[in-house]
Structures are given as C-alpha cells and as structure tokens.
Amino acid sequence: MLGLTLGLALDFALECRRLAPLSPLDPNRALEHAWLLVLATLERVRSHGPFQRPTGVRLGDDRRLLEVELERAWIVLDPHAERGWSWPGHEPPAGTDAAALARLLDLYLPLCVDAEALVIAHLAQSLDGRIATHNGVSQFISGHEDLLHTHRLRALCDAVVVGSSTVVHDDPRLTTRLCSGHSPTRVVIDPRGRVGSDRRIMQDGPAPTVLIHREGTRAPPALASHVQVVTVVAAEGSWLSPVAILAALRARGLRRIFIEGGGVTVSRFLQAGLLDRLHVSVSPVIIGSGRPGFTLPEVLDLDDALRLEARCFEVGRDILFDCRLGAAEAEPQPPQ
Ligand SMILES: NC(=O)c1ccc[n+]([C@@H]2O[C@H](COP(=O)([O-])OP(=O)(O)OC[C@H]3O[C@@H](n4cnc5c(N)ncnc54)[C@H](OP(=O)(O)O)[C@@H]3O)[C@@H](O)[C@H]2O)c1
C-alpha cells in the first residue's frame, strides 16, 4: 500500500515536472533558462546547420529548442542582426536582470549560432599579466563568475585541452559542474609522459581522457578504460605542432576545442594562428611575479604586436576581453 502511494506520488511529481513550463520569462530563473537556451541552440545548429534567416525560438519542456512564430518567440535568432539575436518587440518582464540576460546571450550565442568547429582559449590573469605564482598556485586569481564562465565554455565544447604543467600543479577534474551541460573529453598535451596515474583525470571517468604524447614516449603501464594515448610526431625540438594536435583531435570527432591553459599551451595555439577566439579575464589583483599568461616571440616594434578586436564584459569583479581572431577557415592538416 505504502509502495503504491509512493509510486503515485512519484508519478505525480514527474508529471508536474513535465508540465512545468520552462518559460524563460520567469524572472527568478531567467539566467538559468537563457543558458539552457544557449545549449539548445548549439544542439539545433549542430544537427540542422546554422540559422539562415531570423527565427523565433523558445525552450520546450524537454529543453529542446522550439522554433515558433516570431511574435510567440522569447528571442529571435537572427544571423543578420549585429548581435545575432534580438527581443521580438517586448522586453523581459519586470524583475528580470535584463542587462545580465543580454550579457549572457551576447557572450555565448555567437559561439553557437554559426560555428560548427571552434577553437577558443581562455586565461584568467592578474593586472600584471600573471596566471599563477612561480610555484604554480593559480586557484583562484579570478572570481566565482569567471570560474562559472570556464565551466560554460567546457559545456559548449567537445574537448577541453590543457598543458601537462596544469595537470601536474592543479590536478583539475576538467568536468562541467557549475552549470548544466555535458563534460567534454579531457585532453592533456603531455609530450614526455609527465602526468602520473595519481591525477584525477587519470582515475575518475565521468568523461574520456586523452593524453597527447610525442612519438616514442612510453605510455603509462596500466591505464584506466577511459584513458587513451594519442601520439603526435614532434615538429621542432620537443614541441608538437598545434596543427597536428588539432588534426588528431578532429580525426576523433572532436571539433569544438576549448584550450583552458596554461599560458604556454595557449601561447602555442595563438602563435600558430589557430584560435578563433581568445577570452582573457583580468582580475584586479597584482601578483608581482609568477607565470606569464602569454609568451610569444620577441617584437622590437609595437606595429608588430598583436592588436585584437575585442568586446568587454563584466564578469563579477573581473573584466573579460572577448577577442575575435578569425583563425583561417581551412581545416588543419597533419604535417607531411
Ligand atoms: N589562470 C589561468 O587561467 C590558468 C589556467 C590553467 C592553468 N593555470 C596555471 O598555469 C600553470 C601552468 O601553466 P604553464 O603555462 O606553466 O604550463 P601549461 O601550459 O599548463 O603546460 C605547459 C607544458 O605542456 C606541454 N605542452 C603544451 N603545448 C605543447 C606543445 N605544443 N608541444 C609540446 N608540449 C606542449 C609541455 O609539456 P612538458 O613540459 O611536459 O614537455 C609544456 O611545458 C599552473 O600553475 C596552473 O595552475 C592557470
């Protein structure tokens, strides 16, 4: 009898959840719904291709994107509009933080609306351009909102890539935990096999782990079933060509790539001209020494510095520079 009552209660609860409208117009949950809308937009674009014309959308109860008449839409995704989206003639309801909502859509929709393949990097740095202390402590330079941003970028990508030093120092999990969305494949560029089997990405399996080794590096003896080793031929000295790394990932169906750090790894992809976007969060903190965000070949004239087109976003107490780099559209090919 008790089982039957519990069963009925559970059915009722599930039914309520199914019927509860995921209306983004609920001011208390608008940001959460806007984020779900971003995820649903990405799913729709990946299955049906980019939007070609202005399309009214809202979220269905199953969290999928519904295409609706423009006047019934919550927002209009418009590939020809400057922002890529617009309100269809009405403002969000009173009580909604309209500015925060617009910021979220401005920041993340361009990463979904027209990009099937994407290479994006992010670094959180101090006012003096450091991403960690000399001994490798980096948690946390930026605030919680920037950390949430990092998790959102993971959720929007197939793979999250870090250098071996980041895994050695931070022992990160590299999973998506602070927002809705999947956890990407975790990739470590580890040419010399420095990443030990005690690291969390080697032990826990909520997402696959790929170790990028230089050809000839000995693989660890007993790997967990979620860990795979991919070898890449060294380009110059011990460096691996970022082009070859991307090609190896794409050969495994990983096309949306998030380079999460550290500075050496991001700098190599930047130098190779492979980034579509670079996100740099600057925190009002001065470390005064430590590991640099960017290390590129020396220039002697400021005309040779990289001057980037950037949008700025307030992310909690930090400022996020969203730089569009327009990497070559061509598919990276492995070197001959
Ligand atoms: N603030 C942030 O946003 C942020 C983000 C991530 C990490 N961090 C911090 O940054 C520090 C690590 O950054 P880091 O710049 O020193 O190092 P890193 O980028 O994490 O790792 C660099 C290492 O990765 C390997 N590597 C990367 N690209 C390669 C390539 N193209 N070819 C061959 N090897 C390549 C090399 O490994 P080998 O040396 O093994 O040959 C290289 O020395 C840590 O303290 C971490 O806590 C900060």
Side-chain angles (χ1 to χ4, degrees):
M1 185 59 189
L2 182 66
L4 182 67
T5 316
L6 273 177
L8 284 175
L10 194 64
D11 282 352
F12 179 70
L14 286 175
E15 185 68 5
C16 288
R17 247 181 67 182
R18 199 178 64 75
L19 292 179
L22 261 176
S23 163
L25 297 179
D26 173 353
N28 297 319
R29 301 185 61 200
L31 283 180
E32 185 190 334
H33 289 161
W35 172 245
L36 293 176
L37 189 110
V38 169
L39 289 178
T41 301
L42 178 60
E43 196 180 303
R44 152 67 174 75
V45 168
R46 298 196 86 176
S47 54
H48 291 81
F51 290 93
Q52 304 292 350
R53 57 182 171 74
T55 309
V57 297
R58 51 189 306 127
L59 271 185
D61 293 347
D62 57 359
R63 297 184 170 194
R64 287 192 181 262
L65 203 66
L66 295 180
E67 291 184 24
V68 296
E69 294 155 28
L70 291 193
E71 60 275 14
R72 285 185 48 227
W74 181 54
I75 67 166
V76 174
L77 296 181
D78 183 351
H80 309 298
E82 201 184 322
R83 280 176 146 181
W85 65 276
S86 61
W87 308 115
H90 56 259
E91 290 298 315
T96 309
D97 184 345
L101 208 54
R103 218 165 31 232
L104 189 147
L105 297 171
D106 280 347
L107 185 52
Y108 298 109
L109 275 179
L111 304 181
C112 312
V113 176
D114 57 9
E116 164 61 14
L118 176 74
V119 185
I120 181 166
H122 172 265
L123 284 176
Q125 66 177 42
S126 59
L127 274 184
D128 54 334
R130 312 289 176 165
I131 58 156
T133 59
H134 266 307
N135 56 340
V137 177
S138 68
Q139 291 173 345
F140 291 98
I141 289 177
S142 56
H144 174 79
E145 287 82 354
D146 188 56
L147 195 60
L148 170 61
H149 173 62
T150 310
H151 282 235
R152 284 177 172 156
L153 291 182
R154 289 177 187 168
L156 292 177
C157 288
D158 302 326
V160 54
V161 177
V162 293
S164 60
S165 298
T166 293
V167 176
V168 168
H169 286 287
D170 292 358
D171 193 13
R173 279 178 279 177
L174 300 176
T175 49
T176 302
R177 302 183 303 282
L178 298 181
C179 63
S180 301
H182 80 135
S183 288
T185 294
R186 301 164 301 177
V187 178
V188 189
I189 308 179
D190 184 25
R192 299 181 280 154
R194 282 205 294 144
V195 170
S197 54
D198 61 331
R199 301 290 87 183
R200 292 195 283 197
I201 54 162
M202 301 292 278
Q203 295 183 341
D204 66 0
T209 293
V210 172
L211 303 175
I212 307 273
H213 279 185
R214 185 174 59 218
E215 201 177 41
T217 297
R218 190 190 300 215
L223 289 176
S225 58
H226 68 283
V227 183
Q228 200 193 358
V229 175
V230 170
T231 53
V232 169
V233 180
E236 27 162 325
S238 64
W239 289 107
L240 307 179
S241 142
V243 173
I245 294 170
L246 272 195
L249 297 181
R250 290 191 176 170
R252 281 157 186 78
L254 305 171
R255 300 181 57 79
R256 293 176 61 90
I257 310 295
F258 171 31
I259 318 285
E260 192 174 307
V264 169
T265 303
V266 169
S267 299
R268 285 274 144 173
F269 278 87
L270 178 64
Q271 190 183 341
L274 294 174
L275 298 182
D276 296 302
R277 281 190 187 258
L278 173 64
H279 282 186
V280 181
S281 301
V282 180
S283 255
V285 53
I286 294 175
I287 303 177
S289 60
R291 299 186 186 221
F294 298 97
T295 316
L296 295 172
E298 196 171 282
V299 295
L300 298 175
D301 195 314
L302 281 178
D303 286 344
D304 298 327
L306 265 180
R307 279 192 200 274
L308 307 175
E309 219 184 274
R311 299 185 300 166
C312 291
F313 293 87
E314 275 177 38
V315 178
R317 64 189 170 87
D318 307 316
I319 302 291
L320 170 67
F321 289 83
D322 168 26
C323 310
R324 201 182 167 141
L325 290 150
E329 293 294 311
E331 290 273 294
Q333 300 295 326
Q336 298 300 311

